[in-house]
Amino acid sequence: MRHFFRCHTHPDDVLAAADEFFPTIALTRTQNSARGRSFRGELGTLDLTVRMEGGHYTFVEASTDQMGESRLDRNVKKFFVRLHKQADPAHALDAAY
């Protein structure tokens, strides 16, 4: 599945957060580039890329090799929430129903 997220966090900070978060769910980094990372583990394979968009946004794209809503996909969404809270610590997440 492909997931994306836009934030105001600098791309280097996004990649540092990814390097910190994904090993906690038993994924090991397999590739390292200036604007991307690849992780692999029991949950599957994750390719993460970041790029500047529109001057002040960072576009984060995550692609997994999983079908449907897997544990890896749920953890990618958790990572996006972590990025959101990193950019705006005062923001309270509410249920949308």
Side-chain angles (χ1 to χ4, degrees), residues 26-68:
L27 294 179
T28 56
R29 189 171 62 192
T30 57
Q31 286 186 348
N32 184 20
S33 69
R35 293 290 175 238
R37 299 284 190 271
S38 290
F39 297 92
R40 183 179 310 260
E42 282 185 25
L43 299 178
T45 302
L46 167 69
D47 293 318
L48 185 79
T49 58
V50 296
R51 68 177 186 266
M52 293 302 291
E53 181 180 70
H56 60 282
Y57 286 110
T58 299
F59 184 79
V60 183
E61 183 176 5
S63 299
T64 68
D65 64 347
Q66 302 296 301
M67 301 284 286

Side-chain angles (χ1 to χ4, degrees), residues 1-5 60-64 69 73 76-77 80:
M1 289 192 71
R2 294 176 81 181
H3 306 277
F4 68 91
F5 183 71
V60 183
E61 183 176 5
S63 299
T64 68
E69 184 70 20
D73 294 311
V76 167
K77 291 177 185 179
F80 290 160

Side-chain angles (χ1 to χ4, degrees), residues 5 77-78 80-82 84-85 88-96:
F5 183 71
K77 291 177 185 179
K78 269 187 194 176
F80 290 160
V81 169
R82 181 176 283 199
H84 183 78
K85 289 195 73 70
D88 185 11
H91 182 75
L93 297 174
D94 294 329

